[in-house]
């Protein structure tokens, strides 16, 4: 198996090299970058398996870069920042980061969090076993919504919608159990996994993204609890 490639984006050369050294000791490949612009060019040509991303960067900041990446992929992102501000942490989670670490931090702790995110990613990757290949037409429907499960494609009002991995997983959860109310913590457990570390605001942001991509999608908020899909309105 090829080693994981981790992109470390930080304009502080000392921190960048320190993080890379510790990750390399764990047999990971690293790519050091000074700016989000360089990181976006890397994504376009040789996308890494994961990002370690500083927030305060010259030019495009880490928040904007996280937003751009999350609009096209569910690659793990760990944000790092010198600002221990709850608002920054919440914003980072809302924009799609998987974890948030405040400087100064222990390099060993960062390595542990990187490993945890990579393990979670590995568990979520679909396996092309015999049963999958034999059932290429497997799908579920709810009203005008159809999910092609093995192809992980969503058809809404006869138009295909481009979804990220987590967007598809959440939609599948709702379609499989229409009218069933899910608590935010329950959604975090089912979609992000037991080892997820972060705010349940990530659920709100994921629902917001689905509503934006699929107008009139009947995902309803259950006050003080979570969300449900109104099966009668699909």
């Amino acid at each position: 198996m090829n080693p994981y490639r981790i992109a470390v984006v930080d304009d502080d050369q000392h921190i960048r090299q320190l993080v890379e050294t510790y990750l390399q000791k764990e047999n990971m490949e690293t790519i050091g970058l000074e700016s989000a612009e360089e990181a976006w060019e890397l994504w376009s040509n040789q996308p890494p398996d994961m990002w370690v991303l500083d927030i305060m960067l010259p030019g495009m900041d880490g928040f904007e870069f996280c937003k751009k990446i999350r609009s096209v992929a569910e690659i793990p992102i760990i944000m790092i920042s010198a600002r221990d501000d709850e608002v920054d942490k919440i914003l980072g989670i809302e924009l799609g980061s998987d974890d948030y670490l405040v400087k100064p931090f222990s390099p060993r702790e960062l390595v542990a969090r990187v490993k945890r995110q990579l393990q979670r990613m590995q568990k979520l990757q679909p396996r092309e076993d015999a049963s999958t290949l034999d059932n290429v037409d497997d799908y579920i429907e709810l009203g005008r919504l159809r999910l092609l499960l093995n192809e992980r494609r969503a058809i809404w009002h006869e138009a295909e919608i481009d979804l990220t991995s987590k967007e598809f997983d959440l939609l599948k959860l709702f379609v499989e159990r229409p009218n069933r109310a899910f608590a935010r913590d329950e959604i975090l457990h089912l979609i992000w996994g037991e080892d997820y570390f972060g705010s349940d605001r990530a659920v709100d942001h994921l629902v917001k993204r689905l509503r934006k991509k699929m107008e009139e999608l009947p995902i309803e908020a259950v006050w003080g609890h979570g969300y449900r899909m109104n099966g009668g309105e699909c």
Side-chain angles (χ1 to χ4, degrees):
M1 180 178 176
N2 294 329
Y4 286 111
R5 297 174 68 243
I6 314 299
V8 182
V9 190
D10 197 314
D11 60 334
D12 186 319
Q13 182 179 2
H14 173 72
I15 293 178
R16 189 174 65 250
Q17 292 179 343
L18 181 64
V19 170
E20 287 192 76
T21 297
Y22 273 82
L23 291 174
Q24 289 167 5
K25 287 180 181 178
E26 298 297 326
N27 298 317
M28 301 179 196
E29 290 185 1
T30 64
I31 305 166
L33 304 164
E34 296 183 358
S35 70
E37 286 78 12
E38 289 179 344
W40 186 251
E41 183 177 351
L42 176 70
W43 172 256
S44 302
N45 298 308
Q46 293 180 304
D49 296 302
M50 184 175 177
W51 300 98
V52 176
L53 176 66
D54 187 27
I55 291 178
M56 301 300 293
L57 293 169
M60 183 194 311
D61 66 17
F63 287 134
E64 183 63 25
F65 180 75
C66 179
K67 183 178 178 180
K68 288 185 68 172
I69 287 293
R70 193 52 79 229
S71 69
V72 295
E74 284 294 340
I75 180 173
I77 300 172
I78 294 180
M79 281 188 161
I80 56 177
S81 175
R83 302 188 304 193
D84 186 11
D85 191 324
E86 184 178 3
V87 174
D88 285 343
K89 294 178 182 178
I90 291 174
L91 180 57
I93 295 298
E94 286 184 338
L95 292 177
S97 70
D98 298 282
D99 207 341
Y100 189 104
L101 199 57
V102 177
K103 299 177 183 180
F105 53 80
S106 162
R108 290 187 177 88
E109 180 182 0
L110 175 61
V111 169
R113 296 194 185 202
V114 166
K115 286 182 175 180
R116 181 174 60 190
Q117 292 300 327
L118 291 174
Q119 289 169 357
R120 180 183 63 81
M121 179 181 69
Q122 193 173 38
K123 291 178 182 178
L124 293 176
Q125 287 177 339
R127 295 176 297 175
E128 290 191 349
D129 54 22
S131 61
T132 297
L133 296 175
D134 289 341
N135 296 285
V136 295
D137 294 326
D138 193 16
Y139 67 89
I140 53 177
E141 284 185 328
L142 183 64
R144 292 164 290 180
L145 176 61
R146 170 182 285 203
L147 300 182
L148 307 180
L149 301 180
N150 295 315
E151 299 178 24
R152 294 183 68 81
R153 296 164 56 202
I155 310 298
W156 174 240
H157 288 237
E158 302 183 358
E160 183 169 351
I161 307 299
D162 185 22
L163 300 179
T164 66
S165 178
K166 284 194 180 69
E167 289 168 355
F168 185 90
D169 289 339
L170 181 59
L171 197 56
K172 178 174 177 287
L173 178 68
F174 286 141
V175 171
E176 288 178 332
R177 284 167 273 189
N179 303 314
R180 197 294 214 169
F182 290 91
R184 287 179 175 82
D185 288 345
E186 186 179 10
I187 293 174
L188 283 176
H189 173 78
L190 292 171
I191 304 300
W192 276 264
E194 296 180 5
D195 58 352
Y196 175 74
F197 178 82
S199 166
D200 62 7
R201 294 285 294 276
V203 174
D204 299 330
H205 183 64
L206 193 60
V207 169
K208 182 179 178 181
R209 281 157 48 188
L210 276 177
R211 286 171 169 166
K212 184 176 181 180
K213 290 185 176 183
M214 307 171 72
E215 293 184 7
E216 301 180 3
L217 185 68
I219 296 179
E220 300 175 341
V222 180
W223 182 254
H225 183 72
Y227 295 94
R228 66 168 169 246
M229 175 80 83
N230 186 336
E233 296 295 328
C234 261

